Amino acid sequence: MLNQLQTVSKVIFATRLTALGTFVLGTVLMLSFYYNPVGGVIYMSLFYIISMLFLNGYFAVRLLQLFFESAQSRPKIIQTWGILILNIPVGYFYIQWGLEIYQNATPVN
């Protein structure tokens, strides 16, 4: 899939889809942990956060590369980069909220 991202429009579409998917899946994981505080979900969430960090990092670098290569697409690239960056505070909030839930959860014997 990554080798098919040759045009600016395809990279922008894939980045926006990734940003939306990251947000939605992170929200689902967080809500599932909130309503069912099982210790295993926190480890799956940690793996999810780390893997999405790499995926979003790839798209951030790719957009930066396209920013310097394609002058006519810079406004769309900046807008898409902003959408991608919006996931950072959301992810930080989810990490803090998850750690708080994990600390207050009672262990199941």
Side-chain angles (χ1 to χ4, degrees):
M1 179 190 135
L2 294 179
N3 60 351
Q4 295 176 355
L5 299 175
Q6 300 299 324
T7 64
V8 175
S9 61
K10 287 183 180 180
V11 172
I12 287 175
F13 177 74
T15 304
R16 289 180 179 187
L17 192 63
T18 300
L20 178 66
T22 301
F23 176 74
V24 169
L25 287 174
T27 302
V28 168
L29 273 173
M30 193 54 163
L31 289 175
S32 69
F33 184 64
Y34 179 73
Y35 289 113
N36 187 15
V38 177
V41 176
I42 195 78
Y43 300 115
M44 185 173 64
S45 299
L46 183 61
F47 174 74
Y48 173 76
I49 288 170
I50 291 170
S51 60
M52 288 303 110
L53 178 70
F54 285 114
L55 184 63
N56 284 321
Y58 167 78
F59 282 111
V61 170
R62 183 71 174 116
L63 284 174
L64 189 62
Q65 178 188 16
L66 289 173
F67 180 80
F68 291 115
E69 291 176 359
S70 178
Q72 71 271 14
S73 299
R74 284 185 179 166
K76 282 194 126 182
I77 292 171
I78 290 172
Q79 181 185 27
T80 304
W81 212 70
I83 292 169
L84 192 65
I85 296 300
L86 283 175
N87 274 335
I88 293 173
V90 172
Y92 178 76
F93 170 73
Y94 284 166
I95 289 171
Q96 295 301 316
W97 191 31
L99 290 175
E100 183 178 324
I101 294 169
Y102 188 67
Q103 285 177 335
N104 295 328
T106 56
V108 178
N109 292 327

